[in-house]
Amino acid sequence: MDSLIPFTTSGSLVDCVDRKMLVILRDGRKLHGVLRSYDQFANLVLEDTVERIYHENLFAESWHGLFLIRGENVVLLGEIDLDQEDDVPLRQVEYHELEPFHKRAIELKKRHDDHKAQVLYEQKGYCKEGGEGDGY
């Protein structure tokens, strides 16, 4: 009977080891790499890791290699289907070409979030707590 209960702990990651994964972090970064190890706190070790940035139908990658991720920073972890990965209609460009667009998008999002927080504080009575990356 216990085998019918799905894993709700980091033990559910056992089937993901040695597979290509997408990890989205609290700060919005998107990492692709092969999951090599994890622990009880869902700290992850990714190998052959690249950070991807996107703009419209373009993407760019920055190589990071071996990457250790603290579990509390993970928002999403998902397996990449290798058969469908090449069918995605995105065109790869050099990182330096896309980086200015990416930085501009981050700045616009930060300004929008700051304005929204100010409105919620002044007009709706919400408190100003939390810090950078606490939006999840």
Side-chain angles (χ1 to χ4, degrees):
M1 183 68 176
D2 288 337
S3 64
L4 299 176
I5 300 172
F7 282 116
T8 57
T9 65
S10 62
S12 62
L13 297 175
V14 71
D15 292 334
C16 299
V17 173
D18 296 331
R19 297 194 181 184
K20 189 168 183 184
M21 306 297 286
L22 164 67
V23 181
I24 299 180
L25 303 179
R26 284 178 37 191
D27 65 1
R29 289 187 289 168
K30 296 160 188 72
L31 304 172
H32 292 233
V34 178
L35 181 65
R36 290 298 182 199
S37 185
Y38 66 93
D39 65 9
Q40 71 270 25
F41 304 109
N43 296 321
L44 308 174
V45 176
L46 292 182
E47 186 177 52
D48 298 328
T49 307
V50 294
E51 179 181 349
R52 275 197 183 177
I53 57 175
Y54 300 90
H55 179 71
E56 295 178 355
N57 65 338
L58 305 173
F59 77 93
E61 295 180 339
S62 175
W63 174 259
H64 291 293
L66 193 65
F67 210 84
L68 175 63
I69 303 168
R70 190 173 170 112
E72 66 184 17
N73 291 319
V74 175
V75 172
L76 180 137
L77 174 69
E79 184 178 354
I80 295 174
D81 186 339
L82 298 176
D83 295 332
Q84 295 183 357
E85 183 179 23
D86 295 332
D87 296 338
V88 177
L90 296 175
R91 186 169 56 92
Q92 185 170 2
V93 296
E94 293 294 321
Y95 194 84
H96 65 85
E97 294 177 35
L98 210 53
E99 191 174 23
F101 295 103
H102 181 67
K103 286 184 177 182
R104 178 73 176 146
I106 290 172
E107 178 61 32
L108 289 173
K109 183 180 183 321
K110 182 176 178 355
R111 271 198 255 152
H112 177 266
D113 290 348
D114 289 346
H115 176 71
K116 183 171 77 172
Q118 190 65 30
V119 168
L120 289 173
Y121 176 71
E122 292 174 354
Q123 297 177 10
K124 303 294 183 182
Y126 283 69
C127 62
K128 289 185 178 181
E129 60 180 61
E132 182 179 331
D134 281 342
Y136 290 100

